[in-house]
Amino acid sequence: MVAAIIALSALALVASFGLAMVARAFAVPVDPKVEEIEGALPGANCGGCGLPGCSELARRIAEGRADVDACPVGGESVARSISRIMGVAFAGGGARKTALVFCAGDDETARRRFYYNGVKDCASAALLFGGDKLCGYGCLGLGTCAGVCPFGAIEMSALGLPVIDPSKCTACNKCVLACPKKIIKLVPVSRRVHILCSSHDKGAKVRKACSVGCIACTKCVKEAPEGAIAMQDNLAVASGVPEIPDSVAAVCPMNTIRVVDLGISAPADAAGAAAEGAAS
Amino acid sequence: MKSGTFFGGVHPRYEKDLAGGRPIETMPLPARLVVPFAQNLGAAPKPVVKKGDEVKRGQLIAEPQGFVSVPLHAPTSGVVQAIDVFPHPVGADLPAVVIVPDGKDEWAPGLNVERDAGDLGADALRGVIRDAGLVGMGGAAFPTHVKLSPPKDKPIDVLVLNGAECEPYLTADHRLMAERPAEIVEGASWFAKALGVENVIVAVEKNKPDAIAAMRPAAEARGYAVRALDVVYPQGAERQLIFALTGRRVPAGGLPMDVGVLVQNVGTCYAAFEAVRRNRPLTERVVCVTGRGVANPKNVLARIGTTFGDAIAFCGGLREDAGKIIGGGPMMGVAQYSLDAPVTKGTSGIVVLTRREAVQYAGDPCIRCGRCLRACPMLLNPSVLSVYAERLRFDETAAHHVLDCIECGCCAYVCPSRRPMVHHFRRAKAEIRKKQARAV
Amino acid sequence: MEERLPDAGPKAPGTKEKTEEPIARFLVSSSPHVHEGIRIRSVMGLVIVALLPASVFSIYLFGLPALFTILVSVASAAGFEWLWQKVVRRPGTAGDLSAVLTGLLLALNLPAGSPWWLILVGNLFAIVVAKQLYGGIGYNIFNPALVGRVVLLVAFPVHMTSRWISPSAWGMDAVTTATPLGRAREALLATGSVDAALTRNEAIDLLIGNRAGSLGEVSVILLLIGGIFLLAKRVITWHAPVAFIGSVWAMAGIFHLANPARFADPSFHVLTGGLFLGAFFMATDYVTTPLAPAGKIVFGIGCGVVTVVIRLFGSYPEGVSFGILLMNAFTPLIDRAFKPAVFGARRAKTA
């Protein structure tokens, strides 16, 4: 009995000593800042910054190879706490952004040119003639963006368009990269009026394909203040400055331009409802 | 390996009787021809005509861009009505020139002249074949002159004439072999001359006894062998065909020339005959218009640019229950959404399936039955690949050799869960290539 | 034959179009565009057909209780699957017959005259726990029917191991008895050796199934006929069953040669218990066994070794279920070890 206790204790001593040696020999020098920064980051490992995970971004920020506001998800508060850790001044970042789908062509408003049967994934569908929508620019509606969203901010509506909840969206950019039609963009949540179309087709072709597409009638350009909207290859595009007033939405004959309250200060459920209103 | 076989494969319903007994009919000129620029693998040729131009048959309308590219010729005489985007049978909307025939069908000067090509050397032959715009007419549309220019360290010692035509329904090569054997063999002899190859094998599946009977005297007159192959899909796929005939394995990721073999479709051989002996660029081809969705299946000699709609109308039109239009065969062809898609150099068939005949993919979960493993002629594990692709784990698909997939469709053909296997693999390949392109 | 159509299946042009004129006319999908015609349902149906001879024979042997067990089990398996998919709102797969097959297999693994609640509990575990909670068909790790059986074996040992009915045509004058494996074990425990007479003279009875046991395991001949039918239809391959039965025979043979008094001869071990049922119908289950032929052989040998070890040295008389379930857990590992070689890859390596 005594012998066993002594033997076990000796074994424990040897083992712990060995472990300590190994830990010292293989220790990785870690800048304490890295751990602190990693603690300040959201920790979702979403990849929105373009790096494999939060720890990698933390390392880069600590080494000065990335900006304190490099995390697109954390927003201003995270940037502020990281700047405190790094001991640098933070001027205050840009406005909070959210993803928005620049297409309003759902199952009722946009027409399809064939019956698609295959992998339920937009990028796969786009391999066959670019997708089944008659409009070559339109949302394919198979929900690839919703699948890649790490925050559950995207849901597919019953009519086959993605609905993005701005209160959950962190502007991580994943859906923007995943969309094969490249029609999801990040916009400041403060912007109210949006042109929900991405088609560069001529008006007649757009009318055939979709009842809510931009037909390049230029009414909005005339109604909006100078420089707010420009025609780019048959598509009205908002420049961002100056802001488009709400009144412009009323002049759009196709109902392409809509007031979308992304709820900068509104409660979350109201914002969701607004986004849903935008999509239908 | 006497009778010729390979690993895996399937035995689909061949349905070759629909059009197999119908001699090739020459189709009258349609009201317009839609000629896409991209008709070869590699770089598409650049247009040299504009709206309103008058063209003669065989006149150059687009010039090649680089080595892996071929010129494009006007399929008949007429006026260029427009250059616009049209559905292309490869599965995309691409620019094409629209030609309205003037009905005279006049050849451009210097073309359509018989010549005794006996004194043409290897380089001259390659030049003639390139200038005639020849591409592989079995479907892949790879420029023929590139295939005929192997690097010095990879000498070719066997030329295979691919008359297997293992795709179900299609009978274009079958009819061509049965009706024009001498021309095909002569065309092949020009390839053999350009390559300096003595050993030429004509490979035909056993289900075409009349084609074998017709090819045998023509081939043996030149000392070429005719080999009757077992009827297994995909017997006509290059790697499988080479293995069945010679026992040589094309290395994974390699080309047939790595084992000293060159495979040419019999239709390409016929086009070579036309180019070398008659000085005719490639402006027409045999297309098999078939399937139960077509009123009157036929093998037609149609101009390049004939729309599917016109070709089908020539064959009695669509039946009411037509549900799927395929450019090519039902195993590897591309489903079309529009009858405006034109016949291109690589269009061996137009197959119209009824709604009942066409497969409906359900994409149920893989039950790991292993049928796809037994069917895959590349010995891949389609089951695992499709699961990884479904979960967007494309690095794993690369590790499981998805890039070696030849998209023959055997796995999807036997899948009890009706999984769109090939679609998954095409997506995975596209993602892997995108990643490789970014890495460069 | 009705087919489940995709969301936008081909309809007659002009019907149900919301916009003014129809644009979509044709079905577009990736190649290939034709199919052999096989469905999950047809595969499962063939397995069920292959089990019918043994099932019908069990009714002849054990009478109405056997019929009752089969009917309750199949109905409850299909019912649980349907109910679960209703509750979680998953698209229904009850039409694919896989739940029916699970219910039938579980019934064939139960003693005749099992009470209805026992059958229900078994199927609850088989369908809901072992199959649906793992994600439904294609995603389960363990063979559902065997999970159901083992749960019952552990939770209700009395019902599962000691209430065997001795066979008599149509269940007349049924008396309670023990299975041959059970009797061999009792003899071993009582006298220190297996009863040699008992294990040798019964071969014919064992073959045709004139013995006590769970419903489906008794008639080796009928199970073999079903297995050969599946082999001929190319539903299953020979690898796992042959490796399984062969390894049981070989291993039992080695022990028998070493000590004939303690260990029964190998043919007794091959013909008794649920070996044929397990080897042909459960070690060949698609979802839970390896894909590649070499992997199937390894799987079969593993099953055989575990079975013999449990039979000879474990506390249960029978080890087929445990053997298969244990090997189910190794299936992903075996799959990883036996990747098929790509066509041309071998040459590329030597070149």
Side-chain angles (χ1 to χ4, degrees), chain B residues 87-112:
Chain B
H88 187 294
V90 295
D93 296 325
L94 294 171
V97 51
V98 182
I99 294 174
V100 176
D102 59 13
K104 289 182 251 173
D105 202 23
E106 277 175 323
W107 283 92
L111 297 178
N112 193 27

Side-chain angles (χ1 to χ4, degrees), chain B residues 39 70-72 132-137 282 285 304 343-347:
Chain B
Q39 295 204 36
V70 294
L72 186 64
L134 254 64
V135 299
M137 289 166 78
L282 182 53
R285 67 158 297 147
I304 303 297
V343 168
T344 63
K345 292 174 182 179
T347 308

Side-chain angles (χ1 to χ4, degrees), chain A residues 93-150:
Chain A
R96 199 170 84 79
K97 288 187 168 185
T98 183
L100 188 66
V101 180
F102 280 77
C103 174
D106 59 24
D107 286 350
E108 277 180 353
T109 51
R111 305 170 80 190
R112 292 177 191 271
R113 52 186 180 164
F114 55 80
Y115 299 106
Y116 172 72
N117 170 222
V119 180
K120 292 197 170 36
D121 163 79
C122 303
S124 302
L127 293 174
L128 303 173
F129 294 98
D132 59 351
K133 281 269 169 81
L134 186 52
C135 169
Y137 300 89
C139 172
L140 300 181
L142 294 168
T144 294
C145 49
V148 300
C149 179

Side-chain angles (χ1 to χ4, degrees), chain B residues 23-372:
Chain B
I24 298 169
E25 282 182 53
T26 304
M27 194 181 142
L29 280 173
R32 62 161 190 174
L33 292 164
V34 179
V35 189
F37 296 112
Q39 295 204 36
N40 58 269
L41 223 77
K46 205 173 99 191
V48 293
V49 291
K50 57 185 189 305
K51 190 177 165 181
D53 282 1
E54 265 191 47
V55 292
K56 299 280 187 227
R57 182 174 182 188
Q59 181 182 329
L60 189 76
I61 54 176
E63 57 187 17
Q65 301 293 302
F67 180 58
V68 188
S69 183
V70 294
L72 186 64
H73 306 88
T76 185
S77 60
V79 180
V80 175
Q81 188 193 44
I83 294 179
D84 202 354
V85 170
F86 274 84
H88 187 294
V90 295
D93 296 325
L94 294 171
V97 51
V98 182
I99 294 174
V100 176
D102 59 13
K104 289 182 251 173
D105 202 23
E106 277 175 323
W107 283 92
L111 297 178
N112 193 27
V113 197
E114 294 274 339
R115 71 174 154 201
D116 173 30
D119 54 347
L120 288 178
D123 283 336
L125 278 170
R126 273 192 284 270
V128 168
I129 283 163
R130 181 192 130 128
D131 293 344
L134 254 64
V135 299
M137 289 166 78
F142 191 77
T144 303
H145 68 275
V146 181
K147 269 185 157 184
L148 292 177
S149 318
K152 281 208 177 59
D153 58 325
K154 288 178 180 164
I156 305 288
D157 66 336
V158 181
L159 171 66
V160 175
L161 265 62
N162 188 354
E165 200 165 49
C166 59
E167 271 277 1
Y169 291 79
L170 302 189
T171 55
D173 291 347
H174 174 187
R175 291 313 310 174
L176 201 61
M177 285 188 287
E179 296 177 32
R180 320 253 167 105
E183 289 89 336
I184 292 171
V185 172
E186 189 184 327
S189 75
W190 301 120
F191 290 149
K193 190 176 174 190
L195 291 163
V197 169
E198 307 272 301
N199 188 359
V200 180
I201 307 172
V202 184
V204 190
E205 272 190 350
K206 282 175 185 161
N207 58 359
K208 297 179 262 294
D210 51 339
I212 295 172
M215 289 297 284
R216 192 151 263 155
E220 281 165 3
R222 288 180 186 270
Y224 301 165
V226 175
R227 291 277 294 273
L229 298 167
D230 281 350
V231 184
V232 192
Y233 177 86
Q235 186 67 268
E238 272 188 341
R239 283 149 204 275
Q240 282 63 37
L241 186 66
I242 291 168
F243 184 71
L245 291 171
T246 67
R248 302 181 193 177
R249 289 164 187 263
V250 179
L255 291 169
M257 65 175 167
D258 293 332
V259 293
V261 183
L262 184 83
V263 180
Q264 289 288 2
N265 172 266
V266 291
T268 319
C269 297
Y270 182 77
F273 165 81
E274 292 254 299
V276 175
R277 284 299 295 277
R278 295 184 175 152
N279 200 10
R280 288 182 180 177
L282 182 53
T283 59
E284 60 186 1
R285 67 158 297 147
V286 181
V287 183
C288 179
V289 185
T290 182
R292 292 184 209 288
V294 176
N296 200 359
K298 284 178 185 176
N299 299 291
V300 298
L301 184 63
R303 294 296 157 87
I304 303 297
T306 306
T307 63
F308 280 24
D310 287 334
I312 291 168
F314 178 66
C315 300
L318 290 177
R319 285 185 193 275
E320 202 173 286
D321 55 350
K324 202 172 204 178
I325 315 283
I326 302 159
M331 293 301 283
M332 289 186 73
V334 179
Q336 308 295 317
Y337 72 91
S338 166
L339 291 171
D340 286 340
V343 168
T344 63
K345 292 174 182 179
T347 308
S348 49
I350 300 170
V351 179
V352 185
L353 298 179
T354 62
R355 279 189 285 276
R356 279 185 61 85
E357 277 178 297
V359 59
Q360 290 271 347
Y361 288 109
D364 289 341
C366 171
I367 59 165
R368 297 163 44 84
C369 65
R371 294 168 61 90
C372 53

Side-chain angles (χ1 to χ4, degrees), chain A:
Chain A
M1 183 66 188
V2 178
I5 290 173
I6 291 170
L8 277 175
S9 307
L11 205 65
L13 209 68
V14 171
S16 51
F17 187 71
L19 275 175
M21 291 302 290
V22 170
R24 179 153 297 185
F26 291 92
V28 184
V30 180
D31 186 344
K33 273 185 193 159
V34 175
E35 276 176 35
E36 269 187 76
I37 295 171
E38 198 178 340
L41 288 169
N45 291 319
C46 70
C49 56
L51 296 172
C54 293
S55 56
E56 179 64 20
L57 178 64
R59 212 164 55 78
R60 295 220 183 174
I61 295 176
E63 290 168 5
R65 290 194 290 145
D67 293 331
V68 290
D69 59 350
C71 173
V73 174
E76 208 175 321
S77 65
V78 168
R80 221 172 270 287
S81 40
I82 293 177
S83 65
R84 257 199 304 279
I85 296 165
M86 291 295 292
V88 297
F90 177 62
R96 199 170 84 79
K97 288 187 168 185
T98 183
L100 188 66
V101 180
F102 280 77
C103 174
D106 59 24
D107 286 350
E108 277 180 353
T109 51
R111 305 170 80 190
R112 292 177 191 271
R113 52 186 180 164
F114 55 80
Y115 299 106
Y116 172 72
N117 170 222
V119 180
K120 292 197 170 36
D121 163 79
C122 303
S124 302
L127 293 174
L128 303 173
F129 294 98
D132 59 351
K133 281 269 169 81
L134 186 52
C135 169
Y137 300 89
C139 172
L140 300 181
L142 294 168
T144 294
C145 49
V148 300
C149 179
F151 304 99
I154 310 181
E155 267 182 45
M156 297 304 293
S157 75
L159 290 173
L161 271 187
V163 180
I164 300 175
D165 179 347
S167 69
K168 287 187 191 161
C169 175
T170 62
C172 75
N173 212 36
K174 280 210 150 182
C175 52
V176 176
L177 295 175
C179 176
K181 306 307 279 186
K182 308 257 170 273
I183 54 170
I184 307 183
K185 294 191 176 83
L186 299 181
V187 297
V189 287
S190 56
R191 199 177 289 172
R192 285 172 55 80
V193 180
H194 293 279
I195 305 161
L196 299 179
C197 181
S198 302
S199 171
H200 291 286
D201 281 334
K202 291 204 174 98
K205 203 170 167 191
V206 172
R207 269 181 203 279
K208 229 189 237 175
C210 176
S211 62
V212 291
C214 173
I215 53 170
C217 65
T218 72
K219 280 185 185 157
C220 53
V221 178
K222 289 164 200 149
E223 175 74 18
E226 181 83 28
I229 300 177
M231 297 307 297
Q232 287 177 9
D233 195 11
N234 301 314
L235 178 65
V237 179
S239 65
V241 189
E243 291 283 335
I244 307 169
D246 287 12
S247 61
V248 175
V251 302
C252 177
M254 300 297 283
N255 194 21
T256 311
I257 305 182
R258 297 178 195 184
V259 178
V260 187
D261 187 356
L262 295 170
I264 186 164
S265 56
D269 52 339
E276 243 166 74
S280 60

Side-chain angles (χ1 to χ4, degrees), chain B residues 13 249 323-324 330-331 333 359-361 364-369 371 378-379 401 409 412-413 415-418 422, chain C residues 4 6 10 26-27 29-40 137-138 286-287 289 331 335 340-343 347:
Chain B
R13 285 176 294 277
R249 289 164 187 263
K324 202 172 204 178
M331 293 301 283
V359 59
Q360 290 271 347
Y361 288 109
D364 289 341
C366 171
I367 59 165
R368 297 163 44 84
C369 65
R371 294 168 61 90
M378 295 305 288
L379 305 179
H401 313 288
Y413 180 78
C415 177
S417 289
R418 298 274 163 103
V422 178
Chain C
R4 201 140 46 88
F26 303 119
L27 183 66
S29 65
S30 172
S31 61
H33 307 287
V34 286
H35 195 275
E36 194 175 30
I38 192 169
R39 297 294 282 135
I40 295 178
I137 185 165
Y286 291 148
V287 179
T289 68
T331 292
D335 263 342
V342 186
F343 177 80
R347 192 189 165 92

